[in-house]
Amino acid sequence: MKDLPLAEVYRLIEPGPVVLLTTRSRQGRANVMAMSWHMMVEIAPPTIACVVSSNDFSFFPLRQTKECVIALPAVELAERVVKVGNCPGRDTDKFATAWLTPLRAEQVSAPLVAECFANLECRVVDTRLVDRYNLFVLEVLKAWIDPAQPKPKTIHHIGNGAFVVDGEVIHFESLIP
């Protein structure tokens, strides 16, 4: 074993696929951001925790409206996802910049992303850790899947502009549904 700089630890523990989080402000402006700091908290109802920095343009609409969509892009969208992640939302229509299509959601005002293989309409159910850690707890209200994308592969950020793509699937018996 050898020392690993503490600033590199996050690269070992990235929690899951890069997703797109969409919001819509009370004034009606939609935004999309790339996010990889999220995790499942509960299976039923599906509950997700995510970190949205107070420096991100999406932070205040998420905090005010308590609604968002988590859209899951396949690897084919990787360049657009990186464009979204590298583009500031305050002065830019990130949907147009990244050639993404917003679609009307059923239960929240934030838009779905047409090009993504799944979209999760979410409501913020817990904000107790927002002030301290920027951590929002979301309940999934409605889930959408694109049947035209039957076996999507996701991308996983491992730091410094590097990503890993889903690989081989292996199966083991599970007692959890």
Side-chain angles (χ1 to χ4, degrees):
M1 294 285 183
K2 75 176 214 177
D3 285 344
L4 176 70
L6 294 179
E8 297 292 315
V9 169
Y10 80 97
R11 296 180 70 190
L12 301 173
I13 306 293
E14 281 296 332
V18 177
V19 300
L20 297 174
L21 181 132
T22 73
T23 55
R24 184 176 303 280
S25 71
R26 287 186 179 154
Q27 293 74 32
R29 181 165 178 226
N31 190 50
V32 58
M33 66 172 276
M35 177 178 71
S36 61
W37 291 14
H38 54 80
M39 67 177 182
M40 289 300 302
V41 175
E42 188 63 59
I43 294 172
T47 308
I48 300 168
C50 68
V51 174
V52 177
S53 170
S54 58
N55 293 323
D56 288 323
F57 186 67
S58 295
F59 179 86
F60 292 103
L62 180 59
R63 190 170 207 174
Q64 287 179 343
T65 66
K66 294 187 172 28
E67 296 180 342
C68 67
V69 168
I70 294 178
L72 287 89
V75 67
E76 292 79 10
L77 293 178
E79 286 187 43
R80 295 190 214 183
V81 170
V82 170
K83 185 178 271 287
V84 165
N86 287 332
C87 181
R90 291 189 201 310
D91 307 315
T92 308
D93 178 347
K94 291 166 62 167
F95 279 97
T97 298
W99 310 289
L100 296 171
T101 309
L103 297 175
R104 179 178 290 280
E106 267 187 23
Q107 298 195 25
V108 299
S109 63
L112 309 175
V113 180
E115 293 78 7
C116 289
F117 71 85
N119 283 268
L120 310 173
E121 297 183 37
C122 301
R123 176 183 59 223
V124 176
V125 293
D126 193 333
T127 59
R128 288 177 286 179
L129 296 174
V130 170
D131 289 338
R132 187 164 186 179
Y133 297 111
N134 296 328
L135 186 120
F136 292 84
V137 179
L138 314 170
E139 181 180 332
V140 179
L141 305 173
K142 174 89 178 165
W144 300 92
I145 195 97
D146 181 356
Q149 299 185 58
K151 293 185 179 181
K153 295 214 175 270
T154 55
I155 58 173
H156 302 255
H157 184 246
I158 57 170
N160 298 333
F163 296 82
V164 173
V165 178
D166 273 347
E168 178 183 355
V169 175
I170 61 174
H171 292 276
F172 295 95
E173 185 176 341
S174 173
L175 299 177
I176 299 173

